[in-house]
């Protein structure tokens, strides 16, 4: 079936069992789709995925809302989109008359085939509505709904309920551009059915051919459809080549409207609604930090300047929804842990400087000191009082995020050489600032000059007040440990940092700009490959050069003022060459300058961290050139002089 337009689309097959489920997976993959195999039997679908190019296996139970929510999160984080959902899960008939069937079996049939399909559609509703040309749902139903058979009463109840829900969903979700269709075959001829017919023929005293002819006698073609033929119907209905849903042919207008806005990141209100649906929470907290205004400015900049592709729009939407979700989760955690307000944050250490100047390496060394605490990636995304590390492996939030980063390592090994990440790794605290939508990360991922200009004029103090409140929450279980934080974007907000953290210790890393800007650009390019038709090559070069030159200018001016006011002892400088030549000696100098004790235990832990950082996936592996981004060493030096 050439020309179905399924290449690159993401298709979730719920009930990816043997027989039709396996054929569907193979056929979608053959059309170039990325296929997500879903079933409770992890071993089976993992074996299937190993044989099918472009397929991944994610075990889940569609009768369990929590399992489905985790599935939807994994698919969203991995692919950033879902274009079609195929509901193929079923339970075997009881083969008993209804009067002899346990009602529990009937309930199980309805729960899996009808309510399971409903739950699956709702879990992916938002992604389907955002799909290019509208998303598709195809339910694999059965001709049992058209007749009565003494053996299939319970099975018929489940399939009839599925059809009724599909018709209602077509009416309800059609205006969102989501098509709901059902394929209603009878017997489907394949290896599984052949084995059953062999058994049935032996019990009836006939040949398989005779039993087949009896089963097919009511078909006009006098034969049973094959798995491949049924799969062809499913593929057609799941593809952009299909007609509108029969139950909602009037949705064709809505579909045309959706196709014109597929590259929209969204609106302030719908992003809020999406975050609320995702978390089940509704309190975004005090808006006086200006996050709503910041979000609107950023969305305007995305729309008018960023030239985002479909992929870029969807991933930017995921990024923003994640920020709003984290804000909701923080507010819920604040309310559940009122004691966080009494936690002190004494003399926190902020590591900053131009990106690629050694800030990450230094930060992770400092975090290795058992007397310090850093902001782990998973706690930045889902803020909560930090649980004991020994319990993390059993924490479902941690394990889910850790699996996602492990998969990212596998799929993008080149990015790990740029910036190694894992759920347990300490990460930049812009993850907390994004709750206020005040972060230069946005201008490092897209061409958004209007947002960048707006942000440059803002007072970041309210955003840092929220930043501190999150640190108080996360550090509740580690009183007395010093926070060590790292973010190059602190360059832009030194006044706010020292207003909120008046006793902060500031470590500024230095490296000649002409040796790092190409690396900064390369990181931006790798992180956003395929996101935009504008944020490429020379545009990345010009944007990053301007951003970081402005940041360093702002920091130098603010530092000079604070030093003149008698706060010079709160600053220490680190040269990149010294850090590379003698990392532990450099840390010793920092501790000495701030009057801190560097214990033998801390030295040993830092030494182990340094050794680990030079091997495996953590080992730096990165090549780049200024010329790739329309820059020269002379241009860079001139801008930073």
């Amino acid at each position: 079936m050439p020309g179905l337009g399924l290449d690159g689309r993401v298709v979730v097959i719920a009930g990816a069992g043997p027989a039709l489920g396996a054929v569907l997976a193979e056929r979608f993959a053959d059309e170039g789709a990325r296929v997500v195999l879903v079933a409770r039997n992890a071993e089976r679908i993992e074996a299937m995925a190993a044989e099918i190019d472009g397929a991944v296996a994610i075990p889940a139970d569609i009768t369990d809302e929590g399992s489905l929510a985790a599935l939807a999160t994994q698919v969203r984080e991995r692919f950033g989109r879902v274009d079609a959902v195929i509901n193929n899960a079923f339970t075997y008939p009881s083969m008993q008359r209804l009067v002899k069937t346990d009602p529990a079996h009937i309930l199980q049939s309805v729960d899996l085939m009808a309510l399971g399909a409903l739950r699956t559609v709702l879990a992916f509703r938002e992604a389907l509505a955002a799909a290019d040309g509208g998303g598709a749902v195809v339910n694999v139903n059965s001709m049992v709904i058209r007749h009565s058979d003494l053996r299939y009463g319970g099975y018929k109840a489940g399939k009839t309920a599925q059809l009724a829900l599909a018709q209602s969903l077509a009416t309800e979700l059609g205006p969102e551009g989501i098509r709901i269709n059902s394929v209603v075959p009878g017997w489907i001829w394949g290896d599984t059915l052949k084995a059953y017919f062999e058994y049935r023929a032996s019990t009836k005293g006939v040949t398989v051919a005779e039993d087949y002819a009896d089963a097919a006698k009511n078909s006009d073609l006098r034969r049973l459809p094959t798995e491949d033929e049924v799969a062809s119907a499913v593929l057609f209905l799941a593809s952009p080549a299909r007609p509108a849903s029969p139950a909602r042919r009037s949705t064709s207008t809505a579909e045309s409207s959706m196709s014109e806005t597929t590259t929209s990141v969204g609106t302030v209100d719908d992003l809020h609604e999406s975050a609320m649906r995702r978390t089940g929470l509704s309190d975004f907290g005090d808006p006086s930090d200006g996050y709503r205004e910041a979000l609107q400015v950023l969305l305007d900049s995305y729309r008018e300047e960023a030239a985002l592709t479909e992929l870029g729009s969807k991933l930017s939407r995921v990024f923003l929804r994640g920020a709003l979700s984290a804000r909701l989760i923080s507010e819920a955690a604040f309310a559940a842990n009122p004691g966080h307000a009494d936690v002190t944050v004494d003399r926190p250490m902020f590591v900053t400087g131009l990106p690629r100047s050694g800030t990450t390496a230094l930060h992770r060394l400092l975090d290795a000191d058992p007397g310090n605490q850093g902001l782990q990636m998973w706690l930045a995304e889902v803020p909560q009082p930090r649980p004991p590390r020994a319990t993390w492996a059993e924490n479902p939030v941690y394990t889910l995020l850790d699996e996602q980063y492990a998969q990212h390592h596998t799929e993008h090994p080149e990015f790990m050489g740029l910036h190694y990440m894992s759920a347990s790794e300490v990460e930049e605290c812009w993850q907390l600032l994004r709750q206020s939508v005040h972060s230069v990360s946005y201008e490092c991922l897209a061409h958004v000059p209007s947002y960048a200009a707006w942000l440059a004029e803002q007072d970041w103090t309210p955003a840092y007040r929220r930043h501190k409140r999150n640190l108080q929450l996360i550090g509740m279980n580690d009183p007395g440990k010093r926070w060590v934080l790292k973010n190059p974007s602190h360059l832009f907000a030194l006044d706010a940092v020292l207003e909120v953290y008046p006793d902060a210790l500031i470590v500024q890393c230095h490296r000649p700009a002409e040796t790092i800007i190409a690396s900064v650009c390369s990181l931006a390019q790798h992180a956003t490959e395929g996101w935009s038709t504008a944020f490429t090559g020379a545009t990345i070069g010009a944007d990053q050069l301007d951003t970081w030159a402005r940041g360093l200018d702002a920091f130098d001016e603010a530092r000079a003022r604070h030093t003149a006011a008698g706060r010079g002892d709160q600053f220490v400088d680190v040269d990149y060459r010294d850090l590379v030549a003698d990392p532990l000696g450099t840390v010793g100098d920092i501790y000495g300058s701030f009057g801190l004790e560097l214990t033998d235990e801390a030295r040993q832990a830092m030494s182990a961290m340094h050794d680990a950082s030079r091997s495996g996936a953590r080992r730096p592996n990165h090549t780049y050139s200024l010329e790739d981004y329309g820059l020269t060493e002379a241009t860079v030096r001139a801008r930073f002089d």
Side-chain angles (χ1 to χ4, degrees), residues 46-352:
E46 286 168 358
M48 287 174 58
E51 299 296 324
I52 301 172
D53 289 341
V56 297
I58 304 180
D61 181 355
I62 66 171
T63 67
D64 184 311
E65 291 187 3
S67 181
L68 266 177
L71 166 68
T73 298
Q74 289 187 65
V75 174
R76 177 179 61 249
E77 297 292 343
R78 178 160 184 169
F79 296 106
R81 63 185 288 177
V82 172
D83 299 279
V85 169
I86 313 302
N87 284 310
N88 185 55
F90 77 102
T91 185
Y92 287 100
S94 69
M95 305 302 286
Q96 298 285 337
R97 297 180 180 218
L98 276 179
V99 294
K100 294 184 178 181
T101 300
D102 185 343
H105 182 87
I106 300 174
L107 288 174
Q108 180 187 34
S109 179
V110 172
D111 190 36
L112 178 68
M113 294 188 291
L115 297 180
L118 173 64
R119 294 186 195 99
T120 305
V121 173
L122 296 181
F124 292 102
R125 174 185 176 185
E126 183 179 340
L128 289 168
D132 185 12
V137 175
V138 183
N139 292 341
V140 179
N141 207 291
S142 169
M143 278 299 294
V144 73
I145 65 175
R146 303 299 186 200
H147 60 76
S148 291
D149 188 302
L150 294 177
R151 299 164 297 172
Y152 302 123
Y155 187 73
K156 179 177 181 177
K159 287 297 189 181
T160 302
Q162 185 193 77
L163 180 63
L165 290 174
Q167 291 170 334
S168 294
L169 279 176
T171 301
E172 292 183 24
L173 302 185
E176 297 180 24
I178 301 174
R179 309 182 308 279
I180 315 287
N181 283 285
S182 294
V183 173
V184 188
W187 295 111
I188 305 175
W189 193 246
D191 290 342
T192 301
L193 188 61
K194 287 176 186 177
Y196 174 64
F197 268 46
E198 288 172 359
Y199 162 78
R200 198 171 75 159
S202 68
T203 64
K204 294 165 67 175
V206 299
T207 66
V208 172
E210 289 171 332
D211 197 33
Y212 178 98
D214 183 61
K217 67 184 179 182
N218 293 322
S219 166
D220 291 339
L221 296 177
R222 300 298 189 269
R223 69 175 181 82
L224 303 180
T226 66
E227 293 168 344
D228 199 56
E229 288 172 326
V230 175
S232 291
V234 174
L235 262 71
F236 176 71
L237 292 171
S239 76
R242 82 294 166 252
S245 304
R248 287 292 295 177
R249 289 194 179 275
S250 61
T251 62
S252 59
T253 300
E255 290 169 16
S256 297
S257 175
M258 287 291 291
S259 69
E260 295 172 4
T261 59
T262 53
T263 58
S264 170
V265 177
T267 67
V268 170
D269 288 339
D270 86 68
L271 282 165
H272 278 72
E273 291 171 2
S274 178
M276 288 189 288
R277 286 196 301 270
R278 181 189 184 205
T279 62
L281 303 170
S282 60
D283 182 9
F284 288 92
D286 184 357
S288 63
D289 61 348
Y291 84 98
R292 288 186 68 97
E293 178 188 359
L295 180 56
Q296 184 62 66
V297 173
L298 180 57
L299 290 173
D300 289 344
S301 197
Y302 278 146
R303 184 182 64 253
E304 297 169 7
E305 301 164 332
L308 296 176
T309 63
E310 178 187 352
L311 175 64
S313 293
K314 290 182 178 179
L315 293 180
S316 296
R317 180 179 176 84
V318 168
F319 195 41
L320 290 177
R321 185 175 56 205
L324 294 177
S325 296
R327 187 179 179 101
L328 284 167
I329 292 167
S330 286
E331 289 298 328
F334 294 155
N337 300 276
H340 79 277
D342 299 323
V343 175
T344 59
V345 181
D346 297 324
R347 301 189 78 195
M349 191 179 299
F350 287 80
V351 178
T352 193

Side-chain angles (χ1 to χ4, degrees), residues 265-469:
V265 177
T267 67
V268 170
D269 288 339
D270 86 68
L271 282 165
H272 278 72
E273 291 171 2
S274 178
M276 288 189 288
R277 286 196 301 270
R278 181 189 184 205
T279 62
L281 303 170
S282 60
D283 182 9
F284 288 92
D286 184 357
S288 63
D289 61 348
Y291 84 98
R292 288 186 68 97
E293 178 188 359
L295 180 56
Q296 184 62 66
V297 173
L298 180 57
L299 290 173
D300 289 344
S301 197
Y302 278 146
R303 184 182 64 253
E304 297 169 7
E305 301 164 332
L308 296 176
T309 63
E310 178 187 352
L311 175 64
S313 293
K314 290 182 178 179
L315 293 180
S316 296
R317 180 179 176 84
V318 168
F319 195 41
L320 290 177
R321 185 175 56 205
L324 294 177
S325 296
R327 187 179 179 101
L328 284 167
I329 292 167
S330 286
E331 289 298 328
F334 294 155
N337 300 276
H340 79 277
D342 299 323
V343 175
T344 59
V345 181
D346 297 324
R347 301 189 78 195
M349 191 179 299
F350 287 80
V351 178
T352 193
L354 292 175
R356 322 304 291 173
S357 62
T359 55
T360 297
L362 178 58
H363 179 218
R364 291 175 178 173
L365 278 177
L366 294 168
D367 177 68
D369 183 342
N372 294 336
Q373 61 178 317
L375 180 65
Q376 286 79 23
M377 176 70 83
W378 78 286
L379 295 174
E381 294 197 25
V382 187
Q384 59 188 281
R386 184 186 294 107
R389 183 175 284 268
T391 69
W392 290 7
E394 301 172 359
N395 186 297
V397 175
Y398 172 81
T399 55
L400 174 60
L401 291 172
D402 197 45
E403 289 170 1
Q404 291 171 358
Y405 283 111
Q407 185 63 40
H408 189 267
H409 297 178
T410 301
E411 295 180 351
H412 303 284
E414 76 286 352
F415 191 83
M416 292 302 101
L418 296 168
H419 187 79
Y420 183 85
M421 295 185 298
S422 71
S424 63
E425 200 78 57
V426 289
E427 192 47 61
E428 298 180 353
C429 51
W430 64 262
Q431 293 269 27
L432 300 182
L433 293 170
R434 71 174 182 153
Q435 292 188 18
S436 301
V437 200
H438 282 58
S439 174
V440 295
S441 62
Y442 299 112
E443 59 193 272
C444 293
L445 298 172
H447 179 60
V448 286
S450 295
Y451 171 79
W454 174 87
L455 185 63
E457 300 299 321
Q458 302 309 302
D459 177 6
W460 291 51
T461 303
Y464 273 93
R465 293 199 189 285
R466 185 175 187 86
H467 177 280
K468 180 179 180 180
R469 196 176 179 194

Side-chain angles (χ1 to χ4, degrees), residues 18-40:
L20 180 61
V23 174
L24 285 169
E26 292 169 355
R27 288 289 305 277
F28 275 110
D30 288 343
E31 289 288 334
R34 292 174 289 176
V35 182
V36 181
L37 305 176
V38 180
R40 284 178 284 200

Side-chain angles (χ1 to χ4, degrees), residues 368-370 584 591 597-608:
D369 183 342
L584 296 184
Y591 275 53
E597 180 185 5
L598 181 58
T599 66
D600 290 341
E601 182 184 14
R603 286 183 183 276
Q604 292 172 4
M606 290 178 182
S607 179

Side-chain angles (χ1 to χ4, degrees), residues 491 493-495 498 553-563 571:
L491 292 173
L494 181 59
D495 287 339
L498 292 176
D553 287 346
F555 184 87
D556 288 346
E557 186 276 330
R559 178 175 175 176
R561 281 191 286 103
H562 289 289
T563 299
F571 296 88

